Amino acid sequence: MGRHSGHLPELKPGLTFRVLWILQAFLDLAGSQEIYAPHSIRVEGDVTLGGLFPVHARGVPGMPCGDIKKENGIHRLEAMMYALDQINGDEELLPNVTLGARILDTCSRDTYALEQSLTFVQALIQKDTSDVRCTNGEPPVFVKPEKVVGVIGASASSVSIMVANILRLFQIPQISYASTAPELSDDRRYDFFSRVVPPDSFQAQAMVDIVKAMGWNYVSTVASEGSYGEKGVDAFMQLSREAGGICIAQSLKIPHDHKPSDFDKIIRLLLDTRYARAVILFASDEDIRGILNASKRAEQVGHFMWIGSDSWGAKNSPIHQLEDAAIGAVTILPKRATINGFDAYFMSRTLENNRRNVWFAEYWEENFNCKLMSSSKKDESSRKCTGSAGTSVTFNRNGDAPGRYDLFQYQWNNFTGPGYRVIGQWTETLQLNIEDMQWPRGEQDIPSSVCSLPCKTGERKKVVKGMPCCWHCEPCDGYQYQFDEFSCKLCSYNMRPNANRTVCQPIPIIKLEWHSPWAVIPVFLAMLGIIATIFVMATFIRYNDTPIVRASGRELSYVLLTGIFLCYIITFLMIAKPDVGVCSFRRIFLGLGMCISYAALLTKTNRIYRIFEQGKKSVTAPRLISPTSQLAITSSLISVQLLGVFIWFVVDPPNTIIDYDEQKTFNPDLARGVLKCDITDLQIICSLGYSILLMVTCTVYAIKTRGVPENFNEAKPIGFTMYTTCIVWLAFIPIFFGTAQSAEKLYIQTTTLTISMNLSASVALGMLYMPKVYVIIFHPELNVQKRKRSFKAVVTAATMSSRLSHKASDRPNGEAKTELCENVDPNSPAAKKKYVSYNDDPVI
């Protein structure tokens, strides 16, 4: 029976005189109290067992005992009496041995129970009566108290702990039927204590499993002051820390000497953390009633999800007339079985046949609300397990029964009304039938009891310091994705988060599409330009030997037209899907078309400038003005561009890249990777730089030759061409570089570059060739050979014309001009001859 050695010894040799003196004082006190009230039940027998039962509740201050307790007190006491009858009536179980009993009332108070339990050790203490005499001088005759061989009880853990500390000194075994405090498992301190119920550590584990099964992670605890409540809550808190994922919002304690206001204060404190709706209760019946009453007074019925320990179990006494406040409560009770015959035995007890129970009359009054000679009130439920129930009684090495619990929920049934319903069991693991559970206020889903709601996908938890179950949800922003529950990570440079930010996905790759408005306009202009260029070239080839074509310098004209054609062609290369071939052609033709065009124009303007500069000094023609020389000069200028491109190819071979920075917007949904050639903005400007240098130089020569009369050369059309071209490219540069940080950079820069080149080519084509084509096609009569003049005559005429032009500026209202032109009809053949007369000059 437990962990004792077997025999009932005398007092331990190590017990000091001081301990004996204290025990003697307690015995004297107990003996004096026995005179005034019946504190025990005596059943004679060969072997006497002690019994400790909470027949009465704790009394009000100044009174040791209160109202009678029906379930925990009288029911359990009668269960022991029934067991004694069954054993004594069984001739095979204990033949020739009758069990007796000495049963005491603990009044649910540890100090009172200690006083009562000293009765069990009286027989083991030798009293010195040598100096005691009766009034007549005779020595007194003492009735030797019965020797108790073992004690059944107590109920409350605090009472069992107090009694066990005395009984172990006398090596009296003690077996409890209801004490569940974990500290009683310590076989070093309570080596003569055993129990037939599992310790609170088991039901604490069951409670932890229930909380986790419900998905709750933020709960409060309420405990009755004393070993049972405080140790039970400690066990729950320890196991919840070990399990992880459960936080304690508040841990409150109900004082021994409580008042209704104490319960009201507890409810107010629980409401301070109102998201912690689940409340773990390790409390006595009275305290449970106090909590439920306070919740009704605060109008919080249905707000809290109560999880009650085995002190609540499936009893009616804690919830009598408080059923509405208990709806939805989940309670735990050690597994029990029905003992056949006990119900019939108990129901047959009457005042006549149960006189051995000195408290039965008081129970009768309370149960039937009648009055015999004294009065009292209510209490709780009962539980007892033997060989009679068909289950074995076993203990582990600590003297504890194995952990086996039934799980109940107090529910409302429309047909049978409120009552407890079995919703599962716990035998080392939880078996919970959630579909059988019912919740207050008509809630269909499991009520939440969490500090913080789960974060949405794509959000990380920022845990509140010291409260791992409380957190703030912070979205993963920018290019971050949710790496785990608590952190966000940045996607790699070529990735972006998906819509819910759980993973990274590749950034879409784009390029300038042919159907894009950014491409349609340049392509349209380029096609018109190509058609016009081909038309001009075809016209010149068709009329190759006519005076106008010959006088315009056929060789350089074809070179210039080729450059113009390439300026239009580059539009298609800039819009085409980049690959190594396309990128190679871009590098070659990006600056080549402009280089060819402006090299030819520079050669022309330089030739005109040199001719007239030379004419001012002598009548000898300057060198290198023949067509062959002009082609040679133009080719040498073009070769510089080609050499630069060749070096570029060698140093940095052409390739394609995907630029993820160009369109990496703040909103990752708009991010795009741009497929393009490996050509930087600086490289584009460098490639065009040489052409721009030629253009500027050509413009300078056009300015220098602006005074040359239009009758003799193309200087002025070339000048207008260069002025206009300069304006186009001056507008291009700020637009090109000003959009370098824009998300539309690819489109704006490509469109700006191609339109600028299209406009440059169109200006040259329109100003230099369209007038000639117009005359060739629509006025062929003007495309005839005129008289030839010598270089000296040409220069002299040009010089005189220049001087007259200067003098005209000195006369009012243009009189000089009038003198020159007044006799000329603008529509006369002479005027028309003047328009094309420069074409007849073989020198020019």
Side-chain angles (χ1 to χ4, degrees):
M1 251 182 103
R3 292 160 284 185
H4 52 82
S5 57
H7 300 290
L8 298 176
E10 299 298 327
L11 189 63
K12 282 187 177 181
L15 190 64
T16 64
F17 171 78
R18 181 180 178 84
V19 174
L20 287 172
W21 184 83
I22 295 173
L23 291 176
Q24 185 63 52
F26 272 119
L27 288 171
D28 293 342
L29 177 62
S32 65
Q33 290 176 337
E34 200 168 19
I35 299 173
Y36 301 105
H39 293 293
S40 66
I41 294 175
R42 295 176 184 269
V43 177
E44 298 296 332
D46 301 323
V47 177
T48 302
L49 296 176
L52 292 172
F53 295 91
V55 180
H56 292 86
R58 180 191 301 269
V60 296
M63 297 292 293
C65 300
D67 296 338
I68 197 165
K69 300 178 74 170
K70 294 188 291 185
E71 295 172 342
N72 275 5
I74 297 299
H75 285 185
R76 288 174 174 173
L77 184 154
E78 288 293 344
M80 179 175 176
M81 303 295 288
Y82 174 77
L84 289 177
D85 293 344
Q86 295 296 306
I87 293 171
N88 290 334
D90 192 327
E91 297 180 354
E92 296 181 357
L93 189 58
L94 289 176
N96 302 320
V97 177
T98 301
L99 292 180
R102 180 74 181 274
I103 300 176
L104 305 176
D105 180 9
T106 66
C107 289
S108 305
R109 187 187 293 272
D110 51 4
T111 54
Y112 183 81
L114 177 61
E115 297 171 4
Q116 296 295 300
S117 64
L118 293 176
T119 304
F120 299 145
V121 300
Q122 284 181 341
L124 301 177
I125 298 178
Q126 298 296 327
K127 296 183 178 181
D128 183 7
T129 60
S130 59
D131 59 346
V132 179
R133 290 290 183 272
C134 294
T135 55
N136 60 3
E138 297 292 325
V141 178
F142 291 97
V143 178
K144 189 174 182 179
E146 67 270 50
K147 185 177 182 180
V148 175
V149 298
V151 175
I152 306 300
S155 176
S157 295
S158 58
V159 174
S160 290
I161 289 171
M162 188 73 80
V163 173
N165 285 321
I166 293 298
L167 297 181
R168 71 182 294 268
L169 298 176
F170 298 92
Q171 298 184 352
I172 298 177
Q174 176 186 0
I175 299 181
S176 173
Y177 48 84
S179 298
T180 57
E183 63 184 287
L184 287 168
S185 299
D186 187 352
D187 59 356
R188 293 172 298 179
R189 293 182 57 194
Y190 306 103
D191 47 344
F192 280 83
F193 176 85
S194 296
R195 49 188 166 188
V196 293
V197 290
D200 287 339
S201 57
F202 288 157
Q203 71 170 323
Q205 182 62 61
M207 288 177 165
V208 169
D209 292 346
I210 291 171
V211 168
K212 294 184 80 68
M214 294 293 103
W216 297 335
N217 66 9
Y218 195 49
V219 300
S220 295
T221 64
V222 177
S224 293
E225 185 177 7
S227 179
Y228 171 76
E230 295 178 44
K231 297 296 182 180
V233 165
D234 289 344
F236 175 83
M237 294 174 68
Q238 176 64 29
L239 291 169
S240 65
R241 280 193 296 268
E242 294 174 359
I246 299 177
C247 295
I248 307 301
Q250 297 192 71
S251 187
L252 306 176
K253 186 164 62 176
I254 305 170
H256 273 312
D257 301 322
H258 50 70
K259 302 179 290 296
S261 60
D262 294 326
F263 296 107
D264 293 334
K265 180 180 179 181
I266 288 174
I267 294 298
R268 285 197 304 272
L269 291 173
L270 291 175
L271 289 173
D272 287 342
T273 52
R274 61 184 308 110
Y275 289 122
R277 294 181 63 184
V279 180
I280 308 299
L281 283 176
F282 275 91
S284 65
D285 299 2
E286 306 161 68
D287 292 346
I288 292 170
R289 289 188 62 80
I291 289 291
L292 296 179
N293 251 320
S295 71
K296 288 192 70 172
R297 289 194 295 271
E299 298 182 350
Q300 295 297 324
V301 171
H303 175 76
F304 296 108
M305 303 292 107
W306 310 108
I307 301 181
S309 63
D310 58 355
S311 62
W312 186 337
K315 302 173 191 171
N316 290 319
S317 56
I319 60 173
H320 181 58
Q321 296 182 342
L322 296 170
E323 289 82 0
D324 55 340
I327 295 295
V330 177
T331 62
I332 295 177
L333 187 65
K335 275 188 172 294
R336 58 185 179 179
T338 301
I339 299 176
N340 295 328
F342 176 71
D343 288 346
Y345 160 81
F346 188 76
M347 296 300 292
S348 67
R349 298 297 88 191
T350 65
L351 293 173
E352 288 75 21
N353 64 17
N354 198 21
R355 294 186 181 276
R356 63 182 179 179
N357 185 344
V358 296
W359 298 291
F360 194 74
E362 187 179 354
Y363 167 78
W364 192 274
E365 290 179 330
E366 172 68 18
N367 196 56
F368 295 105
N369 195 23
C370 60
K371 187 171 182 63
L372 296 173
M373 56 184 176
S374 62
S375 187
S376 220
K377 279 201 171 143
K378 55 183 180 278
D379 217 322
E380 305 176 45
S381 160
S382 166
R383 146 100 176 84
K384 181 76 175 78
C385 176
T386 70
S388 300
T391 59
S392 60
V393 179
T394 59
F395 305 95
N396 63 17
R397 61 183 300 274
N398 295 323
D400 300 325
R404 296 189 295 258
Y405 298 95
D406 285 321
L407 307 180
F408 296 87
Q409 187 181 43
Y410 196 72
Q411 299 181 352
W412 178 271
N413 188 293
N414 292 330
F415 300 102
T416 61
Y420 291 99
R421 178 179 181 180
V422 176
I423 57 170
Q425 62 180 347
W426 190 91
T427 52
E428 311 233 340
T429 58
L430 179 67
Q431 301 171 43
L432 186 64
N433 303 319
I434 295 180
E435 63 276 6
D436 294 335
M437 301 183 74
Q438 184 185 97
W439 307 106
R441 299 177 175 177
E443 295 184 62
Q444 299 298 317
D445 299 325
I446 299 174
S448 65
S449 183
V450 295
C451 180
S452 303
L453 295 175
C455 292
K456 300 175 183 177
T457 53
E459 295 180 339
R460 72 178 184 93
K461 293 179 180 178
K462 186 177 182 181
V463 179
V464 176
K465 188 175 182 180
M467 290 294 288
C469 299
C470 301
W471 57 79
H472 304 295
C473 295
E474 293 185 347
C476 298
D477 56 4
Y479 288 81
Q480 294 180 329
Y481 72 100
Q482 185 182 2
F483 179 70
D484 56 29
E485 195 175 5
F486 303 99
S487 62
C488 299
K489 280 196 172 181
L490 196 65
C491 292
S492 58
Y493 75 98
N494 61 340
M495 307 284 276
R496 68 177 182 181
N498 62 351
N500 55 14
R501 293 183 177 271
T502 53
V503 295
C504 292
Q505 60 186 12
I507 293 177
I509 308 302
I510 62 167
K511 65 178 185 64
L512 185 56
E513 301 291 343
W514 293 103
H515 56 76
S516 169
W518 296 98
V520 169
I521 296 175
V523 167
F524 177 73
L525 294 177
M527 291 180 67
L528 290 180
I530 290 172
I531 293 172
T533 305
I534 293 174
F535 176 75
V536 171
M537 191 171 291
T539 302
F540 267 52
I541 293 172
R542 169 70 179 80
Y543 298 97
N544 187 56
D545 292 325
T546 61
I548 290 180
V549 175
R550 291 171 58 196
S552 64
R554 289 176 293 185
E555 295 78 6
L556 287 182
S557 291
Y558 291 131
V559 171
L560 179 55
L561 286 172
T562 302
I564 291 172
F565 179 80
L566 293 179
C567 286
Y568 289 123
I569 288 294
I570 193 62
T571 296
F572 298 94
L573 291 175
M574 295 300 293
I575 296 174
K577 181 179 179 180
D579 55 34
V580 175
V582 170
C583 293
S584 300
F585 283 117
R586 281 190 190 178
R587 290 192 180 189
I588 295 171
F589 294 111
L590 179 62
L592 185 59
M594 290 179 61
C595 177
I596 293 173
S597 300
Y598 298 127
L601 287 175
L602 176 59
T603 303
K604 274 193 173 190
T605 54
N606 175 264
R607 175 173 175 263
I608 295 171
Y609 174 76
R610 287 189 296 113
I611 287 174
F612 286 98
E613 285 297 312
Q614 180 70 16
K616 294 177 182 179
K617 301 174 184 178
S618 69
V619 295
T620 305
R623 295 184 304 164
L624 303 177
I625 62 172
S626 66
T628 304
S629 300
Q630 296 296 292
L631 287 176
I633 294 172
T634 302
S635 299
S636 63
L637 292 174
I638 295 172
S639 65
V640 175
Q641 175 75 20
L642 293 175
L643 178 62
V645 171
F646 176 76
I647 295 173
W648 188 9
F649 269 75
V650 173
V651 174
D652 184 17
N655 198 5
T656 59
I657 60 168
I658 300 175
D659 189 345
Y660 292 98
D661 295 326
E662 185 171 309
Q663 292 201 24
K664 204 156 195 177
T665 57
F666 180 78
N667 183 358
D669 293 337
L670 302 178
R672 299 291 184 269
V674 180
L675 176 64
K676 62 181 185 179
C677 292
D678 187 13
I679 303 175
T680 65
D681 294 348
L682 180 61
Q683 289 172 334
I684 290 176
I685 295 302
C686 290
S687 179
L688 296 175
Y690 180 64
S691 300
I692 294 174
L693 177 62
L694 294 178
M695 179 181 69
V696 171
T697 306
C698 186
T699 304
V700 171
Y701 278 110
I703 294 172
K704 288 185 175 183
T705 58
R706 69 185 184 280
V708 177
E710 60 184 59
N711 307 57
F712 300 97
N713 55 76
E714 294 178 297
K716 290 191 175 180
I718 292 175
F720 289 132
T721 298
M722 300 315 301
Y723 305 151
T724 306
T725 303
C726 286
I727 293 172
V728 170
W729 286 97
L730 285 174
F732 160 79
I733 291 175
I735 295 174
F736 187 85
F737 287 101
T739 58
Q741 304 302 321
S742 171
E744 305 293 331
K745 173 184 175 181
L746 169 69
Y747 309 115
I748 296 175
Q749 290 190 342
T750 303
T751 302
T752 303
L753 177 61
T754 53
I755 288 180
S756 296
M757 299 189 75
N758 286 338
L759 290 178
S760 299
S762 299
V763 167
L765 186 66
M767 291 191 173
L768 298 179
Y769 290 99
M770 285 307 172
K772 298 180 176 65
V773 173
Y774 174 78
V775 171
I776 292 172
I777 295 176
F778 297 104
H779 295 283
E781 72 279 4
L782 300 179
N783 190 11
V784 293
Q785 181 70 38
K786 300 298 181 181
R787 63 184 178 84
K788 295 183 180 180
R789 287 179 286 179
S790 66
F791 176 76
K792 179 180 179 180
V794 171
V795 173
T796 302
T799 303
M800 291 298 295
S801 177
S802 177
R803 289 174 180 173
L804 289 173
S805 298
H806 288 300
K807 289 180 179 180
S809 62
D810 297 332
R811 297 191 182 187
N813 302 321
E815 294 175 359
K817 185 175 182 181
T818 304
E819 291 177 1
L820 289 174
C821 303
E822 60 182 0
N823 296 322
V824 181
D825 183 357
N827 296 319
S828 66
K832 294 179 180 178
K833 288 180 183 178
K834 177 183 177 184
Y835 177 76
V836 295
S837 61
Y838 67 92
N839 292 326
D840 302 334
D841 194 334
V843 178
I844 298 183

